[in-house]
Amino acid sequence: MTIASIRPYGGTPKDTEDKFHGNRILYVGWDRHLMFYAPICFCIPPSMAFADFVAGPLAQAFGDHPQWAQIDWTKANWLRSNQPFSPDGAKSLHDNGLGHKEVLRLQTPDLQGIGGCAI
Amino acid sequence: MDMNAKKKLGLKEKYALMTRNLGWETTYEPMDKVFPQMDYEGIRIHDWDKWEDPFRLTMDAYWKYQAEKEKKLYAIIDAYAQNNGHLNVTDARYINALKIFLSAVPSLEYNAHRGFARLGREMRGVGPQVACQMQAIDEIRHAQTQIHSLSNYNKFYNGFHDWKHMNDRVWYLSVPKSFFEDACTCGPFEFIIAIGFSFEYVLTNLVFMPFISGAAYNGDLGAMTFGFSAQSDEARHMTLGLEVIKFMLEQDPANLPIIQRWIDKWTWRGVRLLTIVAMLMDYMLPKRVMSWKEAWEVYFEENGMALFNDLARYGIKVPDCAALIKKEKDHISHQAWNAFYTAGMITNFHTWLPSEDEMNWLSSKYPDSFDKYYRPRFEYYRQREKEGKRFYNKTLPMLCQVCQIPMLFTEGDDPTLISYRQIEHKGDKYHFCSDHCQHIFEHEPEKYVEAWLPAHQIYQGNCFAEGADPTAPGFDPLKSVLDYWHLDFGRDNLDFEGSEDQKNFAAWRQQATTN
Amino acid sequence: MSNVFIALQANEDSRPIVDAILADNPGAVLNEQPAMVKIDVPGRMTIRRSSVEARIGREFDLQEMQVNLISLSGHVDETDEEFTLSCER
Ligand SMILES: [Fe+2]
Ligand SMILES: [Fe+2]
């Protein structure tokens, strides 16, 4: 459907990749850890290695949670756009196929939030 | 002239003289050119004279009663200020609800004024023209009285100092701002369904009745006065909203699907917006009149449903979102407070944990959700506070492209899982909090791709303090964003516990009640 | 049949109006809340000028109600003599 407008109206996307100074938006949520009220919006160079992203910005964001340090990374799962995703830690975010405004969900089946209460 | 002749005119005749005989068919210019915005939304109107005016308020009566309302209002506000009435509110935490109100609502009122002023010009029938013009004047009055009433608090408490500046910039205030700008950029018919019907008729009772009654209950005469004074106009606005929808439906059956889509869209947009009111009612009123859920059940499920039943004969259906809303009513106020409490470093008001008593009240009002999902969260936060580790989330949230609310809502059937929706449009990804926000986007992507999403704008570098150099060594982006918002770190934000507001209120109250 | 309602500020101006509504509308239910009163009536509610006048002992214009009105539901029909709210037009 098209918009009802008095003149033709195209709409100019406000958040295209070119506006982020070489970075990309990446959203990450940690399932059942709602101490973080919403998935986090990161702005990251696509050349950063996935492992560095996890050890750096992600750890900084989630590290305040006591379960962060307990994550067994061999058992953790990732979803990308709600589909299973197996990142290669050594490869860059870009080479892992993570485009602009991609959303990742981290699932830690053994850790369901504090007291198992999704906190 | 016999002066009594005027008196003998009944209300109906008087009103008809004003609203019908003042209009005329133009001859220098064709009517379609005089009213150029009547066609482009696809709504068909055949006979404007079929418009029935719900209230028959003539201009003389309008000015008379509005003047009386203003006199009453300002008498109360003056007395309240003169008497230091702010020290009579139940608890200084309450004042934070007013900070949210001031930074969100008068700007909405002002935009409502602009929207209805435009409609007063663009509507082709004289009846709706007059009603819209009166409403335009009402709305600017609401903005003014709210600003005047709340300016008194600015003399004493932090966070009230720059509400208009903040309304245009602070992250969470993009939610109300974009809501109304979405409406104002619609055609005139969609605007009036959006604001006159979905917002005023279906939803404002939820804002003004339980919340303002709550303000009164908490000793805030100022908010009670402007709230009820505004709401007395609202009764007229609501009946305009109802009349307009019936009129449009009766004019042409082809209008039905268009109107149904607008009702679906704006009921959902409005409900999302009211999340913050839910939070105000359940968490920010120290003395509570009723829970958000109870208010919802009375004003939406009872009254709103009665309305939809009434409209069923035109083919109008209850909006699809009603099913999800029913599930969410047990959760949204708690989820919103969880968000603001943890985001308390970037708020223009103070946050706090509910006391044990308050949690017990919440358990009793939300037996199916509070103890299971939310009490454990607050108890964990309490434990952290005791250990001196009050949790602040220092990140920026992912936002819904349409409602612009952080993605804090959970799946209808699982309150422990965030609800994620996404689509691709012209090679870009867009994210939504719900199916309903996604559908709104899909219908008019041209509009919503332009959303000014604060988190993205910050990352694009558009929200730093004037003159700031993000490349300078030691540049602190968070500090610079707070400066850009005119938010004073340590005074306006953070926990209520230990705040300047808390100390001042306690000291002044002490002075007021002892010798 | 669903209810219609009217809500008024709880003050001296409203009291005779509330009394008139309760007297003239069988089935009316009064709900008192902080600073306001809400009256629900199944189907239809009528406010009569004459009933209010009988209570206040002076002439009354139904539009005076505007000053203390908080909210209402249903279809409004307003004449000099009566102010009516109904579920169906
Ligand atoms: Fe208003
Ligand atoms: Fe949304």
Side-chain angles (χ1 to χ4, degrees), chain B residues 109 112 138-139 142 146 200 208 230 234 237:
Chain B
E109 302 279 12
D138 294 338
E139 300 295 3
H142 300 169
Q146 287 163 9
E200 303 262 14
F208 282 99
E234 232 65 62
H237 305 168

Side-chain angles (χ1 to χ4, degrees), chain A residues 4-37:
Chain A
S5 58
I6 44 180
R7 280 185 289 281
Y9 192 82
T12 313
K14 262 218 164 35
D15 295 322
T16 46
E17 194 177 337
D18 56 298
K19 298 186 176 67
F20 290 87
H21 315 285
N23 298 312
R24 282 179 189 165
I25 292 292
L26 177 61
Y27 309 107
V28 185
W30 183 8
D31 275 10
R32 300 214 161 87
H33 289 76
L34 295 172
M35 177 167 115
F36 305 101
Y37 63 93

Side-chain angles (χ1 to χ4, degrees), chain B residues 9-12 52 54-58 61 65 68-69 72 201 205 209 213 216-217 224 228-229 231-236 238-239 242-243 246-247 250 289-290 298-299 302-303 306 310 313-314, chain C residues 2-11 13 31 33-36 38 40 59 61-83 85-89:
Chain B
L9 280 180
L11 207 51
K12 281 188 178 174
E52 283 199 45
F55 276 99
R56 302 196 174 96
L57 209 54
T58 51
Y65 294 120
E68 214 169 299
K69 287 182 194 175
K72 255 184 105 164
Y201 198 93
N205 275 332
M209 306 252 274
S213 180
Y217 203 36
M224 179 201 83
F228 283 152
S229 188
Q231 191 65 22
S232 69
D233 299 341
E234 232 65 62
R236 192 157 21 81
M238 289 160 60
T239 49
L242 185 58
E243 176 53 35
K246 300 213 162 186
F247 174 70
E250 282 169 2
V289 180
M290 56 166 81
V298 174
Y299 292 108
E302 245 174 69
N303 295 326
D310 178 24
R313 67 198 145 105
Y314 298 105
Chain C
S2 34
N3 282 343
V4 291
F5 77 79
I6 193 162
L8 297 160
Q9 295 207 50
N11 59 25
D13 290 344
N31 179 350
Q33 288 170 30
M36 59 175 262
K38 180 170 175 259
D40 290 271
E59 282 187 10
D61 185 332
L62 284 167
Q63 292 190 334
E64 287 179 43
M65 210 165 55
Q66 295 283 342
V67 177
N68 297 297
L69 186 60
I70 292 172
S71 185
L72 49 76
S73 74
H75 298 283
V76 172
D77 189 49
E78 198 186 18
T79 67
D80 293 289
E81 296 307 315
E82 287 183 348
F83 182 93
L85 294 173
S86 55
C87 284
E88 295 199 358
R89 179 152 102 184

Side-chain angles (χ1 to χ4, degrees), chain B residues 268-269 272 399-405 407 409 431-434 436-438:
Chain B
W268 180 248
R269 296 282 273 120
R272 272 292 180 251
L399 307 176
C400 171
Q401 186 77 26
V402 170
C403 67
Q404 305 200 6
I405 300 177
M407 297 267 295
F409 299 103
H431 303 273
F432 312 97
C433 71
S434 55
H436 306 295
C437 279
Q438 180 182 328

Side-chain angles (χ1 to χ4, degrees), chain B residues 353-366:
Chain B
L353 286 176
S355 68
E356 193 55 36
D357 268 2
E358 287 166 337
M359 292 217 272
N360 292 340
W361 182 86
L362 289 163
S363 302
S364 72
K365 296 297 180 182
Y366 294 93

